[in-house]
């Protein structure tokens, strides 16, 4: 699995360098940084910094608090999925990067560092673990490294809003892992990226 990760990551890292040169200046136009890092839960439930191209305005957290104050229902909706459709915090270039999944390419740095795999469970935040996963599922799922892609991304991405379904997909992957399954997930993910299925 690590060999597969490194082979894919070398290719991904080369693409990432080109994306940095092309889109880096556009991301920086609002005065913010090119990269955004977020604390996610990794192998053995240990937190790590996951990298992405920044797709939101620099004051995104403040804007989220303002949105929640104005609309309690939207707050509930956010915590169902930890995402908002038509999120006003996203920049113009950020919309494009998210829709095409190009914002994920800096995560190849995490794979090379050994913090993530190319394929694995969803890299979630601590609040998601606390709210939805439970102690037993958390232990089982985070026995392995989270992935840039995985069963969830290959089978619908953000269209799958039921956390129980997401957890079932991650558990299925852990129970049935094989190199062939990783290849199938890679092909399905590429298909979903090309048709922009479940991306926002």
């Amino acid at each position: 699995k690590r060999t597969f990760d490194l082979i894919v990551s070398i290719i991904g890292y080369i693409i990432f360098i080109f994306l940095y040169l092309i889109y880096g200046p556009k991301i920086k136009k609002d005065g913010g940084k090119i990269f955004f890092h977020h604390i996610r839960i990794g192998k053995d439930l240990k937190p790590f910094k996951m990298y992405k191209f920044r797709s939101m305005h620099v004051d995104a957290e403040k804007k989220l608090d303002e949105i929640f104050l104005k609309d309690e229902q939207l707050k509930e909706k956010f915590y169902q999925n930890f995402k908002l459709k038509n999120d006003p915090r996203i920049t113009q270039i950020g919309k494009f990067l998210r829709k095409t999944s190009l914002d994920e390419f800096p995560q190849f740095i995490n794979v090379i560092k050994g913090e993530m795999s190319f394929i694995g469970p969803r890299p979630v935040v601590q609040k998601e673990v606390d709210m939805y996963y439970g102690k037993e599922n958390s232990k089982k799922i985070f026995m392995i490294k989270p992935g840039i892609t995985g069963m969830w991304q290959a089978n619908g991405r953000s269209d799958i809003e039921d956390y129980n379904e997401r957890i079932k997909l991650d558990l299925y992957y852990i129970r049935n892992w094989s190199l062939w399954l990783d290849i199938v997930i890679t092909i399905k993910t590429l298909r979903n990226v090309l048709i922009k299925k479940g991306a926002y």
Side-chain angles (χ1 to χ4, degrees):
K1 188 167 177 60
R2 182 62 180 159
T3 303
F4 181 75
D5 280 348
L6 290 172
I7 291 167
V8 175
S9 293
I10 289 165
I11 298 165
Y13 191 76
I14 292 166
I15 297 169
F16 155 70
I17 291 167
F18 283 105
L19 294 175
Y20 175 85
L21 295 172
I22 295 166
Y23 296 109
K26 296 178 182 180
I27 296 168
K28 281 191 77 173
K29 267 190 175 179
D30 63 358
K33 296 178 180 179
I34 295 174
F35 299 113
F36 168 78
H37 74 258
H38 208 241
I39 302 299
R40 299 295 175 101
I41 300 304
K43 188 175 184 288
D44 300 323
L45 294 166
K46 291 178 181 175
F48 72 99
K49 287 181 182 178
M50 187 185 82
Y51 302 105
K52 297 181 98 172
F53 282 123
R54 182 173 61 84
S55 59
M56 291 190 177
H57 292 285
V58 288
D59 59 348
E61 290 301 318
K62 184 183 172 185
K63 282 190 175 183
L64 187 63
D65 290 337
E66 289 170 1
I67 291 165
F68 288 168
L69 282 171
K70 291 176 186 174
D71 195 331
E72 192 67 30
Q73 285 185 332
L74 208 57
K75 183 177 180 178
E76 288 176 18
K77 184 70 177 170
F78 176 82
Y79 283 117
Q80 284 173 16
N81 201 21
F82 282 80
K83 272 188 174 185
L84 291 173
K85 281 188 178 179
N86 304 313
D87 194 327
R89 300 173 299 156
I90 299 173
T91 61
Q92 204 59 39
I93 186 64
K95 286 177 187 175
F96 169 75
L97 292 172
R98 283 181 168 224
K99 199 71 181 170
T100 54
S101 299
L102 297 179
D103 63 320
E104 309 283 354
F105 270 82
Q107 287 165 46
F108 283 107
I109 297 169
N110 292 114
V111 178
I112 290 167
K113 286 171 71 178
E115 296 166 332
M116 292 178 71
S117 285
F118 177 58
I119 296 170
R122 294 182 62 243
V124 295
V125 298
Q126 184 63 55
K127 195 157 190 174
E128 286 175 272
V129 175
D130 296 340
M131 287 176 71
Y132 297 111
Y133 280 64
K135 196 173 181 180
E136 287 305 310
N137 284 336
S138 298
K139 280 184 182 177
K140 288 175 186 174
I141 289 171
F142 296 103
M143 286 167 54
I144 65 171
K145 297 170 190 174
I148 294 178
T149 187
M151 288 292 291
W152 170 71
Q153 293 91 334
N155 290 280
R157 302 166 86 188
S158 294
D159 290 341
I160 302 174
E161 295 188 351
D162 185 343
Y163 263 86
N164 288 328
E165 185 62 28
R166 294 180 181 190
I167 289 164
K168 280 179 189 174
L169 288 168
D170 283 340
L171 289 170
Y172 176 90
Y173 176 77
I174 290 164
R175 286 194 304 266
N176 297 280
W177 178 82
S178 68
L179 183 57
W180 176 245
L181 181 57
D182 277 1
I183 292 166
V184 170
I185 290 170
T186 302
I187 293 166
K188 280 186 163 187
T189 300
L190 288 171
R191 182 199 64 191
N192 286 343
V193 167
L194 289 171
I195 64 173
K196 300 180 178 65
K197 182 178 172 62
Y200 60 85

